[in-house]
């Protein structure tokens, strides 16, 4: 259901805790005995969370006690995964998963009961410049709050009329899209409308026009959104919303006569910083609902992956998987921005997920469109596999252009840098690629923010200094984003790109 890469190069994976027995046992005979358990009343000795070690291709079971179904989270400045809300006994809980060192088998989830002011089921979390999480919405919750609380006894939530105004009988404003704008305000999109919120004053400072024909884009008509990569010293920010389902689609999947309405093919793109912003409509190669959009590390592409071509999110609510990932290139001309990729053979429907790995691949996993685990005798069984999608920049044909970072070491401790400071990078490129110097470095946050830091690479010296034979050494000084508004505090992955949109390599996570 959810996956998050941490800066130790391990992925935390978790699912709802009331599906029944999973296929991964808890170690040492440990069992989850929860008085509010709905399925296994005598106790559950299987895991519903795991730590996946990417390099070792191995999983370690983790223990989560309360139900994380349709919860939300952020990564705190110190690298801890902070995960909030859920269902049943998880409504108001906050859970933390630290960054585990080495082979520490005792490193696991911690939970804090009733840490939130309101039930947060299908809510959205956004990291703020001060490191707190902004938590908004949820089923029948028309408010927002912050976590952690300055005062742990604080039980207040701020009412949000916008969420009342965008609610409909199908609740198409759950999991609202939230993005931090470069002016420090929050862009919030629900159903088919958006506002810009000054959360410090609880004031709506801008109202955006209706998107396209007004069809819903949020859960259960689940489209997806992404803040497009920011330029150095940005003066504008642009946002992309893709997919969704026509009004009435969710109700059509219910009852005796089940109709799976084709999903939306449209995307809306908008400059949220413009004085008079307007949506520009583009058309994807295929319809998609429940898709995931993720920024790629070359700073020039967005991947759209997973989901279905009809129906909505929910139990048995989609009929046709969308197997083909799509690459979107925002800097290309209109009409030349989408490119469909080779189809995967695994249906990834409700409760699937994707994360960007440090080597540039996309880790894709999950899918369970059933109310419980169901591994047989159904059209789309519960899917527990992981697979990796490699974009074009990782093709072997690009190996002779691929840069390799030498210092700071990709395997060493994270480099600590401050806002506006310089990060010195030493890297090599194959001798055959030494004339191709158009490129630079970019930072990708663990919470989906991408900032281009330099636009060109100066010339370098001869082989040596740690480079393999046949490679030339180069140096570049990358200027960090100026403020926490552009890159909230935390851990980031830094990439060197040879050629705009070309092959890249990961160095290490750099802490801002």
């Amino acid at each position: 259901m959810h996956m998050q890469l941490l800066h130790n190069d391990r992925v935390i994976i978790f699912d709802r805790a009331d599906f029944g027995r999973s296929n991964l046992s808890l170690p040492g005979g440990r069992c989850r005995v929860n008085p509010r358990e709905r399925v296994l009343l005598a106790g559950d000795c299987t895991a519903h969370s795991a730590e996946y070690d990417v390099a070792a291709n191995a999983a370690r079971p983790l223990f989560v006690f309360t139900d994380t179904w349709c919860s939300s989270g952020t990564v705190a400045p110190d690298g801890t995964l902070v995960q909030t809300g859920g269902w049943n006994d998880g409504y108001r809980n906050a859970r933390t998963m630290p960054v585990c060192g080495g082979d520490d088998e005792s490193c696991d989830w911690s939970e804090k009961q009733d840490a939130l002011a309101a039930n947060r089921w299908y809510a959205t979390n956004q990291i703020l410049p001060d490191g707190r999480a902004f938590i908004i919405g949820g089923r029948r919750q028309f408010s927002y709050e912050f976590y952690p609380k300055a005062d742990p006894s604080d039980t207040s939530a701020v009412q949000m009329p916008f969420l009342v105004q965008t609610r409909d009988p199908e609740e198409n404003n759950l999991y609202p899209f939230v993005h931090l704008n470069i002016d420090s305000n929050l862009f919030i999109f629900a159903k088919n409308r958006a506002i810009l919120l000054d959360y410090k004053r609880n004031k709506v400072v801008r109202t955006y026009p209706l998107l396209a024909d007004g069809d819903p884009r949020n859960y259960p008509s689940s489209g997806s959104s992404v803040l497009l990569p920011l330029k150095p010293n940005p003066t504008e920010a642009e946002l992309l919303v893709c997919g969704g389902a026509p009004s009435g689609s969710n109700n059509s999947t219910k009852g005796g006569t089940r109709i799976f309405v084709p999903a939306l093919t449209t995307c809306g793109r908008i400059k949220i910083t413009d004085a008079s912003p307007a949506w520009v409509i583009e058309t994807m190669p295929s319809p998609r609902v429940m898709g995931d959009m993720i920024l790629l590390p070359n700073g020039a592409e967005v991947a759209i992956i997973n989901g279905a071509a009809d129906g909505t999110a929910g139990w048995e609510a989609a009929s046709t998987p969308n197997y083909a990932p799509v690459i979107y290139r925002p800097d290309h001309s209109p009409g030349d921005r989408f490119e469909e990729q080779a189809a995967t053979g695994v249906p990834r429907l409700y409760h699937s997920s994707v994360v960007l790995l440090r080597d540039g691949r996309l880790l894709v996993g999950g899918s369970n469109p059933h109310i419980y685990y169901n591994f047989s005798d159904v059209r789309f069984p519960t899917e527990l596999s992981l697979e990796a999608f490699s974009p074009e920049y990782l093709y072997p044909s690009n190996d002779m252009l691929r840069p390799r970072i030498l210092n700071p070491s990709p395997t060493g401790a994270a480099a600590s840098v401050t806002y506006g400071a310089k990060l010195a990078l030493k890297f090599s490129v194959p001798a055959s690629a030494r004339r191709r110097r158009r490129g630079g470095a970019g930072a990708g946050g663990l919470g989906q923010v991408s900032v281009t830091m330099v636009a060109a690479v100066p010339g370098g010296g001869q082989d040596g200094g740690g480079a393999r034979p046949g490679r030339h050494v180069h140096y570049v000084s990358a200027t960090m984003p100026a403020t926490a508004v552009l890159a909230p505090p935390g851990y980031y992955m830094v990439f060197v790109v040879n050629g705009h949109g070309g092959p890249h390599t990961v160095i290490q996570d750099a802490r801002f």
Side-chain angles (χ1 to χ4, degrees):
M1 185 174 62
H2 294 296
M3 297 197 297
Q4 177 64 55
L5 175 70
L6 299 184
H7 69 267
N8 59 357
D9 204 24
R10 298 181 184 183
V11 179
I12 304 302
I13 303 170
F14 54 99
D15 210 332
R16 59 182 290 191
D18 65 340
F19 268 157
R21 292 181 180 87
S22 75
N23 282 1
L24 184 64
S25 296
L26 289 166
R30 191 177 187 186
C31 297
R32 172 178 168 269
V33 182
N34 187 332
R36 298 187 65 177
E37 167 68 28
R38 298 293 186 93
V39 181
L40 301 173
L41 304 183
D44 182 1
C45 302
T46 62
H48 300 279
S49 179
E51 178 193 62
Y52 175 63
D53 186 328
V54 178
N57 189 28
R60 179 174 70 90
L62 300 175
F63 184 90
V64 61
F65 186 74
T66 57
D67 199 351
T68 58
W69 179 17
C70 294
S71 51
S72 50
T74 52
V75 178
D78 68 355
T80 300
L81 174 58
V82 179
Q83 206 274 332
T84 58
W87 186 65
N88 192 12
D89 58 347
Y91 276 139
R92 299 192 180 196
N93 275 26
R95 308 167 194 86
T96 55
M97 180 66 204
V99 175
C100 303
D103 298 321
D104 184 0
E105 296 292 324
S106 65
C107 186
D108 213 325
W109 287 98
S110 296
E111 302 195 37
K112 185 176 181 180
Q113 301 288 331
D114 297 324
L116 304 181
N119 295 347
R120 300 296 176 187
W121 187 30
Y122 299 95
T124 297
N125 294 22
Q126 167 65 46
I127 193 75
L128 296 174
D130 62 8
R132 292 180 301 165
F134 173 86
I135 308 175
I136 181 172
R139 194 171 187 191
R140 303 188 185 97
Q141 296 297 334
F142 312 108
S143 63
Y144 64 84
E145 61 183 291
F146 304 91
Y147 188 84
K149 313 285 187 185
D151 180 354
S153 64
D154 182 6
T155 59
S156 63
V158 182
Q159 294 305 303
M160 189 76 174
F162 174 68
L163 294 179
V164 178
Q165 296 160 9
T166 53
R167 189 188 187 198
D168 67 14
E170 294 185 311
E171 297 187 292
N172 281 303
N173 65 353
L174 302 181
Y175 275 141
F177 305 146
V178 182
H179 299 275
L180 181 62
N181 192 15
I182 61 174
D183 65 1
S184 82
N185 296 315
L186 293 173
F187 176 91
I188 302 172
F189 183 102
K191 188 179 177 181
N192 50 28
R193 295 171 48 197
I195 59 171
L196 194 64
L197 176 71
D198 181 343
Y199 64 89
K200 297 176 182 178
R201 297 185 296 158
N202 187 30
K203 182 178 180 181
V204 175
V205 295
R206 178 172 296 171
T207 299
Y208 294 91
L210 188 75
L211 174 54
D213 52 9
D215 281 323
R217 308 280 178 156
N218 294 92
Y219 186 96
S221 298
S222 300
S224 51
S225 71
V226 70
L227 183 69
L228 295 176
L230 298 174
K231 307 300 182 186
N233 303 311
T235 58
E236 62 182 29
E238 203 164 2
L239 195 113
L240 184 70
V241 174
C242 284
S247 297
S249 295
N250 191 49
N251 286 339
S252 296
T253 67
K254 314 301 181 187
T257 304
R258 309 185 71 200
I259 299 174
F260 301 97
V261 179
L264 300 177
T265 60
T266 53
C267 295
R269 180 168 166 172
I270 190 170
K271 288 186 179 179
I272 62 176
T273 47
D274 276 3
S276 300
W279 292 98
V280 176
I281 304 304
E282 303 183 67
T283 303
M284 297 185 290
S286 58
R288 193 178 301 262
V289 63
M290 294 183 288
D292 297 296
M293 287 203 294
I294 190 162
L295 296 170
L296 297 184
N298 54 15
E301 294 176 329
V302 178
I304 309 173
I305 197 167
N306 295 338
D310 57 19
T312 63
W315 310 132
E316 324 291 343
S319 177
T320 308
N322 192 324
Y323 292 102
V326 169
I327 298 297
Y328 177 82
R329 300 181 175 93
D331 293 337
H332 281 210
S333 301
D336 185 41
R337 290 175 174 160
F338 293 97
E339 182 182 348
E340 196 165 66
Q341 308 295 291
T344 175
V346 181
R348 303 283 185 185
L349 300 169
Y350 193 41
H351 289 176
S352 61
S353 191
V354 60
V355 293
L356 172 67
L357 299 178
R358 288 177 62 181
D359 61 10
R361 294 178 300 165
L362 300 184
L363 182 70
V364 184
S367 180
N368 186 33
H370 314 292
I371 194 168
Y372 300 116
Y373 290 123
N374 198 329
F375 300 104
S376 61
D377 300 325
V378 287
R379 186 180 176 194
F380 303 118
T382 301
E383 181 58 64
L384 300 182
S385 69
L386 296 173
E387 58 184 336
F389 171 69
S390 294
E392 184 177 359
Y393 52 69
L394 291 178
Y395 287 3
S397 58
N398 286 321
D399 285 350
M400 292 308 297
L401 299 173
R402 198 175 312 284
R404 176 176 177 263
I405 290 175
L406 306 174
N407 190 54
S409 168
T411 58
S416 182
V417 289
T418 57
Y419 292 104
K422 306 280 188 180
L423 175 65
L425 296 171
K426 177 183 178 182
F427 65 97
S428 67
V429 293
S432 60
R434 65 184 182 272
R435 294 175 185 239
R436 187 177 182 181
R437 295 177 185 160
R438 183 169 174 260
L446 300 186
Q448 278 269 70
V449 61
S450 175
V451 183
T452 302
M453 295 190 298
V454 293
V457 175
Q462 297 298 314
D463 297 344
R468 293 195 299 265
R471 300 179 72 93
H472 282 241
V473 177
H474 297 264
Y475 301 83
V476 68
S477 181
T479 302
M480 298 298 102
T483 71
V485 172
L486 300 179
Y491 285 85
Y492 287 75
M493 296 183 288
V494 179
F495 304 85
V496 168
V497 178
N498 181 13
H500 183 60
H504 72 279
T505 186
V506 181
I507 61 163
Q508 63 184 52
D509 306 308
R511 184 180 181 182
F512 282 26

